[in-house]
Amino acid sequence: MSTLYAGGWIVTCDDASTEHSSGWVLVEGGVIAEVGSGEEPDADERVDLAGAVVTPGLVNTHHHLCQTLTRARAQQADLFSWLRELYPLWARIDAEAQYAAARTGLAELALSGCTTVFDHHYVFPRGREGLIEAEVQAASELGVRIVASRGSMDLGISDGGLPPDELVEELDAVLADTERLVGQLHEPGPGARVQIAVAPCSPFSVTRRLMSESATLARKLGLTLHTHLAETVEEEAYCMQLYGCTPVEYLTDLGWLGGDVWCAHCVHLSPDDVADFAGSGTGVAHCPTSNLRLGAGVAPVRELLDEGVRVGLGVDGSASNERSDLLFEVKQALLVARGRGGPGAMTAREALRLGTRGGAAALGRDDIGSLEPGKCADLAIWRTDVLELGGAEDLVAGLLFSAPHRVDRLVVGGEDVVRGGALVRADEAEIVRAQRLQARRFAA
Ligand SMILES: [Zn+2]
C-alpha cells in the first residue's frame, strides 16, 4: 500500500534543510519512499494536502505523564519546594491512574503534532505493579511511539536526599525491574514503537552507587541513559554541599557523560560545562516552559548548538508545564533564545529543528525526525487556512510564530493517529472524563 501526500509545503528537516513549497511525500509500508516537487509519482492513494504545511512528527525528549493528575499546584514554588509539596501526592499513583494520566498527556502531545514521546517515570511506590506497562499500553492504543524509562530514586530524606523515605526504592530492585521491562518491552531496531531507557531521577534523589550502576546496566544492555541535571541554582548548591562539586562535574566524575546520554534542563551550565557536553557527545532536553514556570532560568541553547551539542525539546511534566503542547514548546524555545540573546539568537526554522531532528538525535534515533527516504513515515500536517496564518507569506515561520495550533493530521509509521484535528483511535471526551475521575484521588 502506497500513499502520496501531495500539494503541500514540505519541510524535510534534512541536512540541507530542504523545503518544497509545493511538494509531495510518498509513503510505502510505513516508511518514506520519496520526497519531492513537480511531477507526482504513482501511488495507491493520493491525499490532497490543500496547501497544508507538512513537518516531521515532533519528538518530545522529557516528560512525566503522571503529572497530569496534579496540575496547578505549588504555584509560586521553586523546584525543591514544589517537589516537597508534590511527592506525597505522587505516592498515590497506581496502574489505573497512570494509564488515565498517560492517555491524557499523550493525547495532548499527539494533537500538538508529536509522534514520539519520551516519558521519565521515577515514582514507584512499593507494591504498585504495572506502571510502565500502563503508559506503554496507552501509547500503543493511541498510536504514538513511546520511549518509556525505568526511572528511580533511592536517596531518601533520612540519607540526605530530597524525597520522602517511603518513595525511595532499593538499588537491586530497581536494576532487576529495569532488566525485566527491557526483556518484555524494548524494541532495539529502527522503526521501534516502544523502547526503554534507564533514567535515575536526579543527583539529589539518587545515590552515587545507583547512578553508577544504572550507567553500567544501560551500557551492558545497549540502552540510552537520562537524568535531570543543572536545573536550578539550589541544585548546584546541594551538589556542592553533598558531593563538593557542580552537577556536571559530578556526572563527569561518575563516568556518565557520553553519546548515549541526554540530560533534562541543563539551565545552569558554565562555558566549561558546555564544552564537556560537546566533547563527550552528551545531549540536552531543553524544557523552556517548565523552566519559566518554576523560575529556574533559561538554558544556554545558542551556545550548546554552536558547540554542536545534541539539543531536543521537552514539554516536561504537567505539574510544571500545565500544557503538553510540543509545537508551543518550539515557539517557547524560539522566544526564550531571543529573550536571552537578541533577535538573531535563533530562527523559526532552527526552533523547529530542535523539535524534530534535535529531539531524534537526543533520543539516539536516526529513523525519525526528518522527512527523507528510508525514515519512518511520521508526518505532522498543519492547516494553513486558519485565522492566525492570514497575511503570512512564509507559512512555515507563520505557523511557528503563531503557535500553538492543533495538528490537522498526524501520521505515525504511515498510519493515521489524528485526522481532521481529532484522535482517530480514541475518544477525546472519554479520555477527559476518565482522567478527571482518577485526578480526584490526587486532591491535596
Ligand atoms: Zn522533569
Side-chain angles (χ1 to χ4, degrees):
M1 175 74 184
S2 60
T3 305
L4 184 73
Y5 299 85
W9 189 320
I10 316 296
V11 186
T12 67
C13 294
D14 65 6
D15 287 344
S17 300
T18 307
E19 294 183 17
H20 304 285
S21 58
S22 179
W24 43 260
V25 180
L26 179 65
V27 171
E28 284 175 1
V31 173
I32 295 171
E34 211 180 334
V35 182
S37 59
E39 193 179 342
E40 295 178 8
D42 291 331
D44 299 324
E45 178 195 17
R46 183 185 187 278
V47 173
D48 182 6
L49 293 169
V53 166
V54 183
T55 66
L58 305 180
V59 179
N60 190 44
T61 62
H62 188 68
H63 207 342
H64 312 284
L65 289 163
C66 68
Q67 291 182 12
T68 63
L69 297 161
T70 58
R71 285 175 163 134
R73 315 290 167 87
Q75 295 172 14
Q76 268 71 247
D78 66 10
L79 175 69
F80 282 4
S81 328
W82 176 88
L83 281 168
R84 286 191 189 102
E85 183 167 334
L86 285 161
Y87 282 138
L89 301 182
W90 295 337
R92 301 175 192 174
I93 195 79
D94 60 17
E96 202 182 355
Q98 179 85 341
Y99 175 72
R103 274 165 65 84
T104 301
L106 292 167
E108 281 184 77
L109 277 162
L111 291 165
S112 79
C114 177
T115 49
T116 300
V117 181
F118 168 70
D119 190 55
H120 188 180
H121 189 78
Y122 57 82
V123 179
F124 293 87
R126 283 181 202 110
R128 313 281 170 75
E129 307 289 329
L131 298 176
I132 299 301
E133 292 90 330
E135 64 179 41
V136 166
Q137 183 189 340
S140 302
E141 287 171 0
L142 288 169
V144 297
R145 298 182 201 281
I146 189 165
V147 180
S149 66
R150 203 331 177 158
S152 56
M153 300 193 292
D154 74 334
L155 185 64
I157 193 163
S158 61
D159 292 319
L162 198 73
D165 288 340
E166 57 270 24
L167 219 49
V168 301
E169 298 178 271
E170 296 295 329
L171 180 145
D172 291 339
V174 168
L175 298 175
D177 196 45
T178 308
E179 287 214 63
R180 179 187 68 82
L181 287 165
V182 172
Q184 279 181 15
L185 299 169
H186 183 73
E187 302 167 20
R193 285 187 175 260
V194 179
Q195 291 195 320
I196 300 291
V198 181
C201 185
S202 66
F204 52 82
S205 59
V206 177
T207 60
R208 177 183 281 268
R209 193 170 149 232
L210 180 54
M211 288 297 288
S212 173
E213 296 203 12
S214 295
T216 303
L217 179 68
R219 284 164 182 157
K220 184 182 95 178
L221 300 177
L223 306 174
T224 51
L225 257 178
H226 180 70
T227 194
H228 292 97
L229 196 76
E231 182 172 355
T232 64
V233 288
E234 291 83 6
E235 178 190 332
E236 184 161 323
Y238 180 93
C239 265
M240 289 303 289
Q241 193 186 354
L242 207 62
Y243 307 116
C245 61
T246 68
V248 176
E249 288 166 350
Y250 175 58
L251 280 209
T252 306
D253 184 45
L254 284 169
W256 243 71
L257 298 186
D260 52 352
V261 177
W262 84 107
C263 300
H265 304 303
C266 302
V267 172
H268 299 280
L269 298 185
S270 69
D272 283 349
D273 293 338
V274 172
D276 286 346
F277 268 60
S280 60
T282 307
V284 170
H286 176 41
C287 307
T289 303
S290 170
N291 298 150
L292 297 177
R293 157 71 153 89
L294 294 174
V298 176
V301 169
R302 183 70 265 162
E303 291 88 330
L304 289 163
L305 293 175
D306 288 346
E307 291 296 321
V309 174
R310 297 176 288 136
V311 181
L313 298 180
V315 295
D316 203 0
S318 300
S320 65
N321 171 13
E322 277 72 2
R323 189 179 178 104
S324 300
D325 188 313
L326 197 49
L327 189 75
F328 184 61
E329 210 63 25
V330 170
K331 174 175 167 178
Q332 289 282 65
L334 175 64
L335 297 184
V336 299
R338 290 182 175 196
R340 187 171 177 275
M346 187 176 286
T347 68
R349 283 168 169 81
E350 280 180 303
L352 176 63
R353 203 173 180 83
L354 292 177
T356 54
R357 276 300 278 285
L363 298 185
R365 302 273 300 243
D366 59 8
D367 58 334
I368 56 173
S370 63
L371 303 179
E372 296 179 85
K375 301 276 175 126
C376 295
D378 292 4
L379 281 59
I381 300 173
W382 309 90
R383 288 179 65 150
T384 54
D385 57 353
V386 295
L387 289 170
E388 299 83 3
L389 284 172
E393 285 180 44
D394 181 344
L395 292 172
V396 180
L399 181 80
L400 302 171
F401 280 127
S402 64
H405 295 280
R406 185 170 273 228
V407 77
D408 182 52
R409 189 164 181 163
L410 192 74
V411 179
V412 179
E415 296 170 6
D416 281 346
V417 170
V418 176
R419 202 164 175 169
L423 298 169
V424 172
R425 298 148 183 245
D427 175 6
E428 190 175 330
E430 191 276 322
I431 290 175
V432 170
R433 277 196 300 276
Q435 193 263 1
R436 293 292 196 284
L437 271 180
Q438 292 297 325
R440 281 188 207 157
R441 297 167 43 204
F442 291 77

